[in-house]
Amino acid sequence: MTFGKGCHLHLIDGSAFIFRAYHALPPLTRKSDGLPIGAVAGFANMLYRYVEGNKGPDAPTHVAVIFDHSSKTFRNEIFPAYKANRPELPEDLRPQFPLTRDATRAFNIACIETEGYEADDIIATLSCQARDAGGRVTIISSDKDLMQLIGDGVVMFDAMKNKLIDRDEVVEKFGVGPERVVDVQSLAGDSVDNVPGAPGIGIKTAALLIQEYGDLETLLERATEIKQPKRRETLVNFANQIRISKQLVMLKCDTPLEFSLDSLEVREPEPEVLMGFLNAMEFRTLTKRIADKLDVTPPPMVTAEATEAEAGPLPEALPFDHGAYEAVIDMAALERWIARIRDIGHVAFDTETTSLDEMRADLVGISLAVDAGRACYVPLGHRQGGGDLFASDSLSEGQLPMNAVLTALKPVLEDPAILKIGQNIKYDFKIMARHGIHMAPIEDTMLQSYALHAGLHNHGMDELSDRYLNHTPIPIKSLLGGGKAAVTFDRVAIVDAVKYAAEDADVTLRLWQRFRPALHRAQVTTVYETLERPLIPVLADMEMAGVKVDRDVLARMSNAFAQKLVQLEEEIHEIAGTRFNVGSPKQLGEILFDQMQIPGGEKGKTGAYATGAEVLEDITTLEAHPTGAQLAARVLDWRQISKLKSTYTDSLQNHIHPETGRVHTSYSIAGANTGRLASTDPNLQNIPVRSEEGRRIREAFVAPEGRVLVSLDYSQIELRILAHIAGIPALKQAFRDGLDIHAMTASEMFGVPVEGMDPSVRRQAKAINFGVIYGISGFGLARNLRIPRAEAQGFIDRYFERFPGIRAYMDETVAFAKSKGYVQTLFGRKIHTPEINAKGPGAGFAKRAAINAPIQGTAADVIRRAMIRMPQAIAGLDAKMLLQVHDELLFEVAEEQAEKLTQVARAVMEGAADPAVHLDVHLRADAGQGRNWAAAH
DNA sequence: GGGCTCACG
DNA sequence: GACGTACGTGAGCCCG
């Protein structure tokens, strides 16, 4: 077909696909030879999705994927530094480039690259040709450098966001239409591509200037008329540089091409060619999916068969067949399953219960899986008449007695030769513990995923199944319903429960088959085996122990708070002169900034004024608005009390377990990317301590009669780790000498003696020390210290001058993250940083997170090691470890053994890094004890 | 259910 | 005069 009117050309930005694919996927390798193929796999998937998604009435008539040929182009002759600051390509990506071309050809799509030109120029040239021939063009990319091409039948489509980029979008981004984008980019420059532009002029200013003068040439000619002296000078002095920038930014529409548009006509893929490619890449899932679609039989996978002979069937090899799951309703059947488990030596194990709270949940059923597709469900506690208001409590028929089943399973679950595999198995471990079964050994697919993929995605079963098994399990909501009408699992019909529950065990088993070898390949087996897996029983015991909370203390505080709140509310209404909901930030904002006309109100993206504590604190100091100041101060008081009451004194009472009289939190091991734990239901890691009023809540956390609470917390653990990792001699020495580290920092920076130091000077140094751990920025420090930004930047500069190792650490860490896609703790934990090479503000976040993660993560590893060793160490004492708060461990111990416990626990904590890592800075733990947590801390 | 606010390390 | 920023969490409330 000759390209012309009525034709529609799709131009796919191949490089964008590749990088997106590379960063979206874990570092997959080809099974047979270890060739990195993650990016190719993602690329092929994206191409496939593109092909499938573009078959409708508006399907393209012509299509091509365009690649960059090499990094050196004609632009480097104009400006040698062009794209010079691009980070090195990851070493495992480069070998995948030719394979992405192969993939494109395998899909029977034209694959284009030209020496000396960027993909963008080819896209520009083809767009122009197609437009001139009267056709339409869709550029599939979100690259802003291509936006200059939009218009006259040319549009862009962002395939990631599934969104059309049209003229309006361009105006929003650049402040001008597509035809003037080049002008704005020439002025603003581009740090990513190293286009110089005009110094000090960004997109905003550039857009203003272009709007005013029409176009770049006119602007440069009339530059002397510009009123602002700085801008005028810049434009006059840098006119040449700006013109060079324009040459760099402007895409060429006359790239020499050795083919015609006609040759890009859409062609169906040829099944053998496509299958051959996918097969050679050993893309099991994609091969199967496309084979189904094309209705052809995939060729046998030679290498895979060899692997299967050694390791059993691969997880994706079998489809999920819900009908094949067995309901175990007689003891003979159960015994058959037990025999299978003993035979194979492992079992995926899952419990179904009536609640997510393990301390209150009743057991409803158990599922087991021994191999992919071979799973069963043992119903135990299903009840009749689900949903009926007068539902009887009698058990449904056809269920084995719970006692008999547990008695039969106990030897298996406790057999040291049989591995019990679970997804978040701490949950099932606790459920079984309440039935007198101590499961061991255990394995957790959630934690395997955490060791492999922290930072890439979450580790819930549904997500893992979607990602790694290409299978969406039955959603629990489809059985239980949602919201108020939700029922508990015991009301689910057994026939439905079998499918859901057995599937969970099946999925878990398949994930395990997949993750187990992956741990070795990613070299995180040690992390998983020493920092994740052994933590499960330790945390389960802590959670089951719980901490005693005195309800009366909380109730009294709640009452006092309630009265105080009423009083404050009245005062607030009086000052405002109107009644409103003090708890509504929206209403408060309107009162302060509209009604009372206090200046400086800033609206957020929802259109509501910001009324956070910082804003209110500023208002309290406004002398021009005494009523506003008073109101703000009262609201701050109200907020504090209200928070304490609702989040702590009220809510904690509801968490006191009716039988144990204690509060049992739940720790999530795979919640925080850095290796920290997270505490939920309730969160006992954020009990107030910083304010006097809040700290009193800790008085409600008590030890029973004859016992005391002992708290040990690491002193400055993150700064010590920083001193070690970054290798800062002055910091190390200060810790060795037991100095006040913040005062020492201040002394080094400002040249003042520690003796008789102004507390505010020390405070500033402290803020800087913390800032360094967080990936310091002038902006952040300025905001924290409430000083001008330039001053904050001055502090930072001086700090880096004084401790040059810190700068080096930060630069090295960011560079590492950029090339590897992750950072590591001293103990080998990987934290992925997928956004680190992104453009836009996301990169800034990712950079700081990358700087922080090894420090925070190493500290998290250290306390994990201490916790794992603790039960052994304190076994001879009448003591229990109860809580972890990131750098603190809380124990309950018989009064007369408090000293001994402190001594033992301190030794474990201070020696926790050894022998895996020898820190140049010793760790120190401070201890306290008392009848309640406030006294012990 | 998202946004805001605020509690902790 | 810029996109916008200190790192990591969880919970309760308001409001559409």
Side-chain angles (χ1 to χ4, degrees):
Chain A
M1 188 192 342
T2 310
F3 192 94
K5 208 165 158 44
C7 287
H8 187 176
L9 171 65
H10 274 198
L11 296 171
I12 299 172
D13 180 353
S15 303
F17 266 38
I18 295 175
F19 282 95
R20 179 72 192 189
Y22 177 75
H23 292 294
L25 288 177
L28 309 173
T29 51
R30 184 158 66 183
K31 266 225 167 75
S32 55
D33 60 0
L35 178 76
I37 45 151
V40 187
F43 183 89
N45 243 310
M46 288 161 78
L47 265 193
Y48 175 62
R49 283 213 308 269
Y50 162 81
V51 170
E52 285 304 304
N54 282 281
K55 292 194 157 163
D58 196 33
T61 56
H62 296 70
V63 61
V65 181
I66 297 97
F67 295 96
D68 290 310
H69 186 78
S70 61
S71 55
K72 290 275 173 275
T73 68
F74 71 90
R75 289 189 176 80
N76 293 104
E77 284 167 27
I78 304 173
F79 188 65
Y82 179 68
K83 294 204 173 176
N85 57 2
R86 280 285 168 93
E88 272 292 296
L89 273 185
E91 53 189 294
D92 58 334
L93 179 55
R94 192 184 295 279
Q96 302 192 59
F97 280 176
L99 297 172
T100 56
R101 274 66 164 177
D102 293 345
T104 309
R105 285 185 283 264
F107 277 92
N108 212 359
I109 298 174
C111 170
I112 296 168
E113 52 193 306
T114 301
E115 173 130 37
Y117 292 89
E118 293 182 52
D120 289 359
D121 293 308
I122 304 173
I123 292 174
T125 304
L126 288 171
S127 297
C128 293
Q129 290 181 3
R131 187 191 59 203
D132 294 345
R136 286 158 58 215
V137 179
T138 300
I139 300 168
I140 291 140
S141 173
S142 53
D143 188 344
K144 61 176 177 5
D145 297 337
L146 289 168
M147 291 185 181
Q148 55 181 279
L149 301 172
I150 290 176
D152 281 341
V154 180
V155 297
M156 278 175 74
F157 184 75
D158 182 341
M160 306 314 150
K161 295 185 184 145
N162 204 21
K163 198 173 120 205
L164 208 62
I165 302 171
D166 55 11
R167 195 187 162 82
D168 292 347
E169 200 80 15
V170 175
V171 172
E172 192 178 316
K173 186 160 180 62
F174 285 104
V176 295
E179 62 286 348
R180 294 272 81 91
V181 161
V182 169
D183 294 352
V184 167
Q185 284 186 297
S186 308
L187 284 167
D190 184 349
S191 57
V192 178
D193 291 346
N194 223 14
V195 173
I201 292 187
I203 288 189
K204 287 281 158 72
T205 315
L208 275 178
L209 288 168
I210 295 299
Q211 280 161 14
E212 191 172 342
Y213 291 87
D215 62 56
L216 185 64
E217 272 314 310
T218 317
L219 171 68
L220 290 178
E221 277 163 26
R222 293 171 51 195
T224 48
E225 300 168 22
I226 295 173
K227 293 181 206 77
Q228 297 90 331
K230 251 240 170 90
R231 281 184 199 169
R232 186 172 59 233
E233 262 172 53
T234 304
L235 288 182
V236 172
N237 295 341
F238 289 93
N240 195 35
Q241 183 172 314
I242 295 167
R243 290 199 171 95
I244 290 177
S245 299
K246 183 167 176 180
Q247 285 180 274
L248 297 178
V249 181
M250 179 131 82
L251 298 178
K252 281 180 84 74
C253 272
D254 54 359
T255 313
L257 300 176
E258 287 163 4
F259 57 88
S260 72
L261 282 176
D262 304 345
S263 65
L264 306 182
E265 197 169 336
V266 170
R267 302 176 296 252
E268 284 294 316
E270 289 172 28
E272 300 100 88
V273 177
L274 183 51
M275 283 297 130
F277 171 78
L278 297 172
N279 210 43
M281 289 294 106
E282 297 169 26
F283 296 153
R284 177 168 294 280
T285 315
L286 194 61
T287 307
K288 188 181 171 310
R289 197 186 305 169
I290 295 179
D292 285 351
K293 193 82 194 174
L294 297 175
D295 207 17
V296 297
T297 320
M301 213 170 271
V302 180
T303 51
E305 277 181 350
T307 319
E308 278 171 24
E310 294 156 18
L314 287 162
E316 307 92 315
L318 289 169
F320 282 81
D321 178 2
H322 294 110
Y325 298 140
E326 179 184 343
V328 173
I329 52 172
D330 60 68
M331 287 308 283
L334 182 64
E335 290 302 338
R336 279 197 297 276
W337 277 96
I338 289 174
R340 283 177 196 137
I341 293 167
R342 291 200 169 280
D343 200 36
I344 200 163
H346 61 245
V347 59
F349 178 87
D350 187 32
T351 57
E352 302 303 332
T353 68
T354 53
S355 167
L356 286 173
D357 176 353
E358 311 93 313
M359 290 299 291
R360 303 176 194 224
D362 292 326
L363 185 60
V364 177
I366 288 171
S367 37
L368 310 166
V370 292
D371 206 343
R374 285 182 84 192
C376 71
Y377 179 62
V378 190
L380 298 170
H382 288 261
R383 289 169 192 283
Q384 298 282 5
D388 186 343
L389 185 60
F390 301 102
S392 94
D393 275 330
S394 64
L395 288 171
S396 308
E397 279 175 30
Q399 298 184 85
L400 286 169
M402 191 177 295
N403 275 343
V405 170
L406 293 180
T407 305
L409 281 175
K410 184 176 160 87
V412 175
L413 296 178
E414 296 183 343
D415 189 331
I418 297 174
L419 185 64
K420 275 67 68 175
I421 306 153
Q423 162 73 16
N424 188 18
I425 202 168
K426 175 158 68 68
Y427 181 92
D428 311 278
F429 181 95
K430 287 167 74 176
I431 297 289
M432 298 320 289
R434 285 178 46 217
H435 288 90
I437 295 174
H438 192 85
M439 292 210 292
I442 53 178
E443 181 110 291
D444 194 333
T445 48
M446 179 179 80
L447 299 187
Q448 292 181 323
S449 176
Y450 185 55
L452 287 165
H453 314 126
L456 293 177
H457 52 72
N458 293 332
H459 315 284
M461 193 179 72
D462 290 359
E463 174 152 14
L464 295 182
S465 180
D466 265 334
R467 279 177 182 271
Y468 299 101
L469 304 178
N470 191 29
H471 168 74
T472 306
I474 302 170
I476 185 69
K477 262 197 169 172
S478 71
L479 299 184
L480 304 183
K484 261 179 93 175
V487 298
T488 46
F489 202 86
D490 54 338
R491 302 288 170 189
V492 172
I494 291 175
V495 54
D496 298 326
V498 171
K499 296 190 178 83
Y500 169 85
E503 181 188 49
D504 272 8
D506 190 7
V507 165
T508 303
L509 190 106
R510 296 188 203 211
L511 287 172
W512 175 71
Q513 290 176 333
R514 178 163 176 145
F515 289 159
R516 199 178 34 159
L519 289 169
H520 287 283
R521 283 200 298 272
Q523 299 188 315
V524 289
T525 304
T526 305
V527 169
Y528 172 71
E529 292 293 345
T530 63
L531 298 172
E532 313 290 349
R533 189 154 85 129
L535 195 59
I536 300 168
V538 176
L539 287 176
D541 285 345
M542 291 168 68
E543 295 168 16
M544 288 189 287
V547 55
K548 183 171 176 182
V549 170
D550 188 329
R551 182 187 299 276
D552 293 341
V553 172
L554 292 178
R556 274 199 294 276
M557 291 180 80
S558 275
N559 284 335
F561 287 152
Q563 288 179 24
K564 183 81 186 166
L565 282 177
V566 171
Q567 190 190 327
L568 280 169
E569 224 161 288
E570 302 222 322
E571 288 179 46
I572 288 166
H573 290 159
E574 194 154 322
I575 299 169
T578 167
R579 303 191 75 79
F580 68 102
N581 184 349
V582 184
S584 162
K586 184 165 171 272
Q587 294 179 30
L588 176 66
E590 283 159 11
I591 300 263
L592 288 170
F593 300 113
D594 290 339
Q595 189 184 309
M596 301 179 77
Q597 288 290 306
I598 291 171
E602 279 181 47
K603 292 190 176 181
K605 51 186 154 190
T606 54
Y609 290 108
T611 67
E614 261 178 67
V615 176
L616 296 186
E617 274 158 24
D618 287 344
I619 293 176
T620 61
T621 64
L622 290 181
E623 287 172 15
H625 285 271
T627 31
Q630 220 183 351
L631 183 69
R634 289 287 181 280
V635 172
L636 282 170
D637 289 344
W638 185 92
R639 286 234 181 112
Q640 197 206 350
I641 307 285
S642 163
K643 175 83 175 179
L644 294 178
K645 181 171 187 293
S646 68
T647 309
Y648 300 105
T649 59
D650 286 354
S651 159
L652 270 177
Q653 293 185 59
N654 300 326
H655 282 286
I656 298 175
H657 194 281
E659 281 154 39
T660 66
R662 300 168 72 100
V663 171
H664 306 267
T665 184
S666 178
Y667 287 101
S668 71
I669 312 178
N673 287 335
T674 53
R676 274 196 178 181
L677 302 178
S679 157
T680 62
D681 307 301
N683 181 354
L684 294 186
Q685 290 182 322
N686 71 346
I687 302 302
V689 71
R690 292 176 188 166
S691 79
E692 180 54 43
E693 199 127 39
R695 188 159 48 234
R696 296 206 45 218
I697 290 171
R698 295 192 172 215
E699 292 172 10
F701 290 73
V702 296
E705 201 48 45
R707 305 176 74 80
V708 288
L709 296 180
V710 169
S711 158
L712 287 107
D713 68 290
Y714 282 113
S715 161
Q716 309 283 10
I717 186 168
E718 292 193 347
L719 273 178
R720 286 171 198 261
I721 286 166
L722 173 71
H724 171 91
I725 294 183
I728 313 295
L731 272 181
K732 291 190 209 169
Q733 191 58 47
F735 280 121
R736 234 170 268 143
D737 298 344
L739 298 183
D740 173 339
I741 202 68
H742 302 310
M744 187 287 289
T745 307
S747 171
E748 285 275 352
M749 281 185 60
F750 304 113
V752 294
V754 171
E755 224 33 62
M757 177 178 291
D758 185 342
S760 79
V761 172
R762 181 181 180 280
R763 190 178 59 87
Q764 292 189 322
K766 183 175 173 181
I768 296 170
N769 276 332
F770 275 104
V772 167
I773 292 171
Y774 297 151
I776 200 157
S777 75
F779 182 93
L781 184 66
R783 208 174 70 164
N784 191 286
L785 286 176
R786 299 180 169 233
I787 57 175
R789 194 160 153 190
E791 201 178 321
Q793 193 55 54
F795 286 175
I796 294 171
D797 293 344
R798 201 162 345 164
Y799 187 95
F800 284 153
E801 231 169 79
R802 205 58 209 78
F803 307 105
I806 303 267
R807 201 355 138 14
Y809 161 74
M810 292 181 152
D811 293 346
E812 283 160 21
T813 306
V814 171
F816 186 95
K818 280 186 175 171
S819 78
K820 303 258 190 177
Y822 61 85
V823 292
Q824 274 183 299
T825 66
L826 287 182
F827 297 91
R829 177 186 299 285
K830 289 183 180 176
I831 297 120
H832 293 85
T833 56
E835 294 291 312
I836 195 97
N837 287 315
K839 299 183 178 187
F845 283 107
K847 232 165 108 171
R848 293 191 295 270
I851 291 167
N852 173 259
I855 304 168
Q856 188 183 119
T858 298
D861 291 347
V862 166
I863 198 166
R864 280 182 182 225
R865 290 169 64 89
M867 293 170 72
I868 289 163
R869 292 177 186 174
M870 200 62 77
Q872 272 264 26
I874 65 172
L877 297 170
D878 181 8
K880 277 183 293 195
M881 182 162 59
L882 303 184
L883 299 179
Q884 189 249 43
V885 192
H886 309 308
D887 64 359
E888 173 188 3
L889 293 174
L890 186 73
F891 299 83
E892 182 185 299
V893 59
E895 215 162 342
E896 67 281 4
Q897 295 183 356
E899 293 308 322
K900 181 71 189 161
L901 171 79
T902 303
Q903 193 192 327
V904 171
R906 171 180 277 148
V908 171
M909 287 175 74
E910 294 187 344
D914 303 319
V917 170
H918 177 74
L919 293 175
D920 298 343
V921 181
H922 66 278
L923 296 176
R924 218 185 77 203
D926 297 325
Q929 58 172 290
R931 293 306 316 273
N932 62 59
W933 197 2
H937 184 74

